[in-house]
Amino acid sequence: MKPKKITLKFLERNDARQEDIDEVTEWGLLGLPADRFVKGLIEHDKFYYANWLIITLLSSKKQEVVYAAHATELILAVYSPGEYTDESEKALRAAKAYIRNPSKRTAAAAAAVVDAIPFDSIYNPAACAAYNTAYAASSKPYYNTRGAYAAVCYAIDAAERIGNNILKVRIIKYGLDLLLK
């Protein structure tokens, strides 16, 4: 797929923050295809902005959940099991079930997992990433995109907390690969 060019009009239409628009304008990123634009954001350590753009450009709920689940898996793999709960793994399993079979049933099952997770068990970015990945897969309409965005932001935050910049790059590059499929 040919990458979409990221223009000022596109950013404004999608409610990009003015501060971010000013920065990408200064860096000469406006008008570039999405893949080069995202790579420019990575070079400037703007991983959250890159995530926002990828989520904005992904074409389906399933792609968003795939992206969020991948980011969550990467983070849970580097966190020790004592740093997140069984609920995190249940949330990720519910999202993966949705990915394998996107349906009202698996979305409702993801919503049930989300509703059953005690709020006090979501105490670090890895657990938050898992929770929001299940939220993205859920049947809760408003939170589908927001859940995926939040899940990846928490995964990026978790990578930042452990000082793993390579992991942040891997997360964003995976999202970019999804865009280019």
Side-chain angles (χ1 to χ4, degrees):
M1 178 180 120
K2 185 178 178 183
K4 177 180 184 60
K5 286 193 175 186
I6 306 303
T7 63
L8 176 61
K9 184 177 180 179
F10 171 84
L11 293 174
E12 289 174 341
R13 190 175 57 242
N14 286 285
D15 299 322
R17 297 180 324 158
Q18 188 59 50
E19 170 187 329
D20 294 330
I21 291 172
D22 293 344
E23 286 178 337
V24 298
T25 302
E26 180 183 323
W27 300 329
L29 300 180
L30 286 178
L32 291 178
D35 57 335
R36 290 184 41 213
F37 191 98
V38 169
K39 288 174 185 171
L41 292 173
I42 291 170
E43 287 172 14
H44 287 90
D45 202 31
K46 292 293 187 173
F47 293 94
Y48 298 105
Y49 190 12
N51 176 44
W52 170 83
L53 182 62
I54 289 166
I55 290 290
T56 301
L57 291 170
L58 286 174
S59 61
S60 70
K61 173 182 172 176
K62 181 179 176 181
Q63 278 190 317
E64 293 168 4
V65 177
V66 166
Y67 176 44
H70 181 76
T72 299
E73 280 183 306
L74 289 174
I75 289 304
L76 291 182
V78 297
Y79 268 64
S80 65
E83 294 180 82
Y84 59 89
T85 62
D86 289 342
E87 283 86 2
S88 300
E89 291 179 359
K90 287 178 192 170
L92 185 57
R93 279 195 302 273
K96 286 179 160 185
Y98 175 83
I99 292 166
R100 282 189 305 277
N101 178 24
S103 65
K104 288 181 181 178
R105 184 183 60 75
T106 54
V113 167
V114 166
D115 290 342
I117 294 175
F119 194 72
D120 63 348
S121 71
I122 308 167
Y123 53 83
N124 70 37
C128 290
Y131 175 84
N132 280 287
T133 298
Y135 225 122
S138 79
S139 54
K140 299 172 184 291
Y142 174 73
Y143 290 101
N144 294 335
T145 297
R146 302 232 186 254
Y149 171 76
V152 177
C153 281
Y154 280 117
I156 291 167
D157 184 46
E160 236 169 57
R161 287 180 186 220
I162 60 172
N164 194 329
N165 207 48
I166 292 170
L167 197 53
K168 293 189 306 186
V169 172
R170 284 182 61 199
I171 290 167
I172 296 301
K173 285 194 173 178
Y174 183 82
L176 191 53
D177 289 345
L178 284 174
L179 276 179
L180 299 176
K181 283 185 181 181

PDB file of all heavy atoms in Angstrom, residues 19-37:
ATOM      1  N   GLU A  19       1.201  22.301  19.265  1.00  0.00           N
ATOM      2  CA  GLU A  19       2.621  22.160  19.615  1.00  0.00           C
ATOM      3  C   GLU A  19       3.296  21.109  18.723  1.00  0.00           C
ATOM      4  O   GLU A  19       4.411  21.293  18.240  1.00  0.00           O
ATOM      5  CB  GLU A  19       2.728  21.751  21.088  1.00  0.00           C
ATOM      6  CG  GLU A  19       4.091  21.349  21.544  1.00  0.00           C
ATOM      7  CD  GLU A  19       4.071  20.800  22.974  1.00  0.00           C
ATOM      8  OE1 GLU A  19       3.243  21.224  23.797  1.00  0.00           O
ATOM      9  OE2 GLU A  19       4.899  19.914  23.247  1.00  0.00           O
ATOM     10  N   ASP A  20       2.601  19.997  18.492  1.00  0.00           N
ATOM     11  CA  ASP A  20       3.148  18.938  17.633  1.00  0.00           C
ATOM     12  C   ASP A  20       3.228  19.391  16.181  1.00  0.00           C
ATOM     13  O   ASP A  20       4.206  19.102  15.484  1.00  0.00           O
ATOM     14  CB  ASP A  20       2.308  17.668  17.753  1.00  0.00           C
ATOM     15  CG  ASP A  20       2.384  17.041  19.138  1.00  0.00           C
ATOM     16  OD1 ASP A  20       3.442  17.188  19.796  1.00  0.00           O
ATOM     17  OD2 ASP A  20       1.409  16.405  19.556  1.00  0.00           O
ATOM     18  N   ILE A  21       2.206  20.093  15.730  1.00  0.00           N
ATOM     19  CA  ILE A  21       2.216  20.616  14.353  1.00  0.00           C
ATOM     20  C   ILE A  21       3.394  21.563  14.164  1.00  0.00           C
ATOM     21  O   ILE A  21       4.107  21.491  13.154  1.00  0.00           O
ATOM     22  CB  ILE A  21       0.871  21.320  14.021  1.00  0.00           C
ATOM     23  CG1 ILE A  21      -0.255  20.284  13.945  1.00  0.00           C
ATOM     24  CG2 ILE A  21       0.982  22.096  12.706  1.00  0.00           C
ATOM     25  CD1 ILE A  21      -1.643  20.880  13.823  1.00  0.00           C
ATOM     26  N   ASP A  22       3.616  22.430  15.141  1.00  0.00           N
ATOM     27  CA  ASP A  22       4.741  23.370  15.045  1.00  0.00           C
ATOM     28  C   ASP A  22       6.071  22.633  14.955  1.00  0.00           C
ATOM     29  O   ASP A  22       6.939  22.997  14.157  1.00  0.00           O
ATOM     30  CB  ASP A  22       4.748  24.312  16.259  1.00  0.00           C
ATOM     31  CG  ASP A  22       3.546  25.258  16.285  1.00  0.00           C
ATOM     32  OD1 ASP A  22       2.872  25.413  15.239  1.00  0.00           O
ATOM     33  OD2 ASP A  22       3.280  25.833  17.356  1.00  0.00           O
ATOM     34  N   GLU A  23       6.230  21.584  15.755  1.00  0.00           N
ATOM     35  CA  GLU A  23       7.489  20.837  15.740  1.00  0.00           C
ATOM     36  C   GLU A  23       7.721  20.127  14.411  1.00  0.00           C
ATOM     37  O   GLU A  23       8.809  20.207  13.838  1.00  0.00           O
ATOM     38  CB  GLU A  23       7.525  19.823  16.885  1.00  0.00           C
ATOM     39  CG  GLU A  23       7.736  20.467  18.226  1.00  0.00           C
ATOM     40  CD  GLU A  23       7.737  19.475  19.377  1.00  0.00           C
ATOM     41  OE1 GLU A  23       7.165  18.376  19.251  1.00  0.00           O
ATOM     42  OE2 GLU A  23       8.323  19.823  20.417  1.00  0.00           O
ATOM     43  N   VAL A  24       6.699  19.431  13.904  1.00  0.00           N
ATOM     44  CA  VAL A  24       6.911  18.701  12.646  1.00  0.00           C
ATOM     45  C   VAL A  24       7.106  19.653  11.473  1.00  0.00           C
ATOM     46  O   VAL A  24       7.804  19.325  10.519  1.00  0.00           O
ATOM     47  CB  VAL A  24       5.797  17.667  12.348  1.00  0.00           C
ATOM     48  CG1 VAL A  24       5.758  16.601  13.422  1.00  0.00           C
ATOM     49  CG2 VAL A  24       4.448  18.303  12.152  1.00  0.00           C
ATOM     50  N   THR A  25       6.528  20.840  11.574  1.00  0.00           N
ATOM     51  CA  THR A  25       6.759  21.859  10.551  1.00  0.00           C
ATOM     52  C   THR A  25       8.217  22.306  10.600  1.00  0.00           C
ATOM     53  O   THR A  25       8.894  22.365   9.566  1.00  0.00           O
ATOM     54  CB  THR A  25       5.810  23.059  10.766  1.00  0.00           C
ATOM     55  OG1 THR A  25       4.454  22.597  10.730  1.00  0.00           O
ATOM     56  CG2 THR A  25       6.019  24.119   9.702  1.00  0.00           C
ATOM     57  N   GLU A  26       8.707  22.582  11.802  1.00  0.00           N
ATOM     58  CA  GLU A  26      10.095  22.998  11.990  1.00  0.00           C
ATOM     59  C   GLU A  26      11.075  21.920  11.495  1.00  0.00           C
ATOM     60  O   GLU A  26      12.122  22.235  10.919  1.00  0.00           O
ATOM     61  CB  GLU A  26      10.335  23.272  13.482  1.00  0.00           C
ATOM     62  CG  GLU A  26      11.730  23.708  13.836  1.00  0.00           C
ATOM     63  CD  GLU A  26      11.901  23.892  15.339  1.00  0.00           C
ATOM     64  OE1 GLU A  26      10.952  24.368  16.002  1.00  0.00           O
ATOM     65  OE2 GLU A  26      12.981  23.536  15.854  1.00  0.00           O
ATOM     66  N   TRP A  27      10.727  20.654  11.694  1.00  0.00           N
ATOM     67  CA  TRP A  27      11.608  19.555  11.300  1.00  0.00           C
ATOM     68  C   TRP A  27      11.484  19.182   9.822  1.00  0.00           C
ATOM     69  O   TRP A  27      12.170  18.271   9.357  1.00  0.00           O
ATOM     70  CB  TRP A  27      11.323  18.319  12.145  1.00  0.00           C
ATOM     71  CG  TRP A  27      11.515  18.517  13.616  1.00  0.00           C
ATOM     72  CD1 TRP A  27      12.402  19.363  14.235  1.00  0.00           C
ATOM     73  CD2 TRP A  27      10.814  17.858  14.659  1.00  0.00           C
ATOM     74  NE1 TRP A  27      12.289  19.269  15.593  1.00  0.00           N
ATOM     75  CE2 TRP A  27      11.316  18.347  15.891  1.00  0.00           C
ATOM     76  CE3 TRP A  27       9.800  16.902  14.695  1.00  0.00           C
ATOM     77  CZ2 TRP A  27      10.846  17.909  17.120  1.00  0.00           C
ATOM     78  CZ3 TRP A  27       9.332  16.468  15.915  1.00  0.00           C
ATOM     79  CH2 TRP A  27       9.852  16.970  17.120  1.00  0.00           C
ATOM     80  N   GLY A  28      10.558  19.821   9.110  1.00  0.00           N
ATOM     81  CA  GLY A  28      10.402  19.543   7.682  1.00  0.00           C
ATOM     82  C   GLY A  28       9.702  18.227   7.379  1.00  0.00           C
ATOM     83  O   GLY A  28       9.933  17.630   6.319  1.00  0.00           O
ATOM     84  N   LEU A  29       8.843  17.776   8.272  1.00  0.00           N
ATOM     85  CA  LEU A  29       8.174  16.492   8.063  1.00  0.00           C
ATOM     86  C   LEU A  29       6.858  16.607   7.299  1.00  0.00           C
ATOM     87  O   LEU A  29       6.398  15.617   6.715  1.00  0.00           O
ATOM     88  CB  LEU A  29       7.919  15.797   9.409  1.00  0.00           C
ATOM     89  CG  LEU A  29       9.150  15.475  10.255  1.00  0.00           C
ATOM     90  CD1 LEU A  29       8.737  14.791  11.558  1.00  0.00           C
ATOM     91  CD2 LEU A  29      10.134  14.622   9.490  1.00  0.00           C
ATOM     92  N   LEU A  30       6.242  17.795   7.281  1.00  0.00           N
ATOM     93  CA  LEU A  30       4.962  17.944   6.593  1.00  0.00           C
ATOM     94  C   LEU A  30       5.109  17.607   5.110  1.00  0.00           C
ATOM     95  O   LEU A  30       6.086  17.979   4.465  1.00  0.00           O
ATOM     96  CB  LEU A  30       4.429  19.365   6.740  1.00  0.00           C
ATOM     97  CG  LEU A  30       3.867  19.721   8.107  1.00  0.00           C
ATOM     98  CD1 LEU A  30       3.407  21.171   8.135  1.00  0.00           C
ATOM     99  CD2 LEU A  30       2.726  18.811   8.504  1.00  0.00           C
ATOM    100  N   GLY A  31       4.128  16.882   4.597  1.00  0.00           N
ATOM    101  CA  GLY A  31       4.128  16.509   3.192  1.00  0.00           C
ATOM    102  C   GLY A  31       4.828  15.193   2.907  1.00  0.00           C
ATOM    103  O   GLY A  31       4.775  14.690   1.784  1.00  0.00           O
ATOM    104  N   LEU A  32       5.481  14.624   3.917  1.00  0.00           N
ATOM    105  CA  LEU A  32       6.161  13.342   3.717  1.00  0.00           C
ATOM    106  C   LEU A  32       5.145  12.194   3.778  1.00  0.00           C
ATOM    107  O   LEU A  32       4.114  12.303   4.446  1.00  0.00           O
ATOM    108  CB  LEU A  32       7.218  13.114   4.804  1.00  0.00           C
ATOM    109  CG  LEU A  32       8.451  14.018   4.782  1.00  0.00           C
ATOM    110  CD1 LEU A  32       9.361  13.677   5.962  1.00  0.00           C
ATOM    111  CD2 LEU A  32       9.192  13.880   3.469  1.00  0.00           C
ATOM    112  N   PRO A  33       5.462  11.075   3.120  1.00  0.00           N
ATOM    113  CA  PRO A  33       4.616   9.889   3.290  1.00  0.00           C
ATOM    114  C   PRO A  33       4.641   9.445   4.757  1.00  0.00           C
ATOM    115  O   PRO A  33       5.612   9.699   5.478  1.00  0.00           O
ATOM    116  CB  PRO A  33       5.285   8.835   2.401  1.00  0.00           C
ATOM    117  CG  PRO A  33       6.177   9.602   1.474  1.00  0.00           C
ATOM    118  CD  PRO A  33       6.557  10.862   2.193  1.00  0.00           C
ATOM    119  N   ALA A  34       3.583   8.778   5.185  1.00  0.00           N
ATOM    120  CA  ALA A  34       3.431   8.398   6.595  1.00  0.00           C
ATOM    121  C   ALA A  34       4.641   7.644   7.139  1.00  0.00           C
ATOM    122  O   ALA A  34       5.072   7.900   8.267  1.00  0.00           O
ATOM    123  CB  ALA A  34       2.167   7.561   6.783  1.00  0.00           C
ATOM    124  N   ASP A  35       5.214   6.749   6.346  1.00  0.00           N
ATOM    125  CA  ASP A  35       6.345   5.975   6.866  1.00  0.00           C
ATOM    126  C   ASP A  35       7.551   6.861   7.157  1.00  0.00           C
ATOM    127  O   ASP A  35       8.182   6.743   8.208  1.00  0.00           O
ATOM    128  CB  ASP A  35       6.709   4.821   5.933  1.00  0.00           C
ATOM    129  CG  ASP A  35       7.041   5.258   4.514  1.00  0.00           C
ATOM    130  OD1 ASP A  35       6.568   6.324   4.067  1.00  0.00           O
ATOM    131  OD2 ASP A  35       7.782   4.515   3.838  1.00  0.00           O
ATOM    132  N   ARG A  36       7.847   7.792   6.267  1.00  0.00           N
ATOM    133  CA  ARG A  36       8.982   8.701   6.500  1.00  0.00           C
ATOM    134  C   ARG A  36       8.664   9.692   7.613  1.00  0.00           C
ATOM    135  O   ARG A  36       9.541  10.080   8.390  1.00  0.00           O
ATOM    136  CB  ARG A  36       9.355   9.409   5.197  1.00  0.00           C
ATOM    137  CG  ARG A  36       9.988   8.409   4.226  1.00  0.00           C
ATOM    138  CD  ARG A  36      10.488   8.984   2.934  1.00  0.00           C
ATOM    139  NE  ARG A  36      11.161  10.245   3.031  1.00  0.00           N
ATOM    140  CZ  ARG A  36      11.112  11.179   2.078  1.00  0.00           C
ATOM    141  NH1 ARG A  36      10.429  10.963   0.974  1.00  0.00           N
ATOM    142  NH2 ARG A  36      11.751  12.310   2.224  1.00  0.00           N
ATOM    143  N   PHE A  37       7.409  10.108   7.706  1.00  0.00           N
ATOM    144  CA  PHE A  37       6.966  11.019   8.760  1.00  0.00           C
ATOM    145  C   PHE A  37       7.177  10.360  10.122  1.00  0.00           C
ATOM    146  O   PHE A  37       7.745  10.963  11.041  1.00  0.00           O
ATOM    147  CB  PHE A  37       5.485  11.367   8.538  1.00  0.00           C
ATOM    148  CG  PHE A  37       4.962  12.490   9.379  1.00  0.00           C
ATOM    149  CD1 PHE A  37       4.876  13.776   8.865  1.00  0.00           C
ATOM    150  CD2 PHE A  37       4.520  12.266  10.672  1.00  0.00           C
ATOM    151  CE1 PHE A  37       4.368  14.818   9.639  1.00  0.00           C
ATOM    152  CE2 PHE A  37       4.017  13.303  11.450  1.00  0.00           C
ATOM    153  CZ  PHE A  37       3.939  14.581  10.922  1.00  0.00           C
TER     154      PHE A  37
END
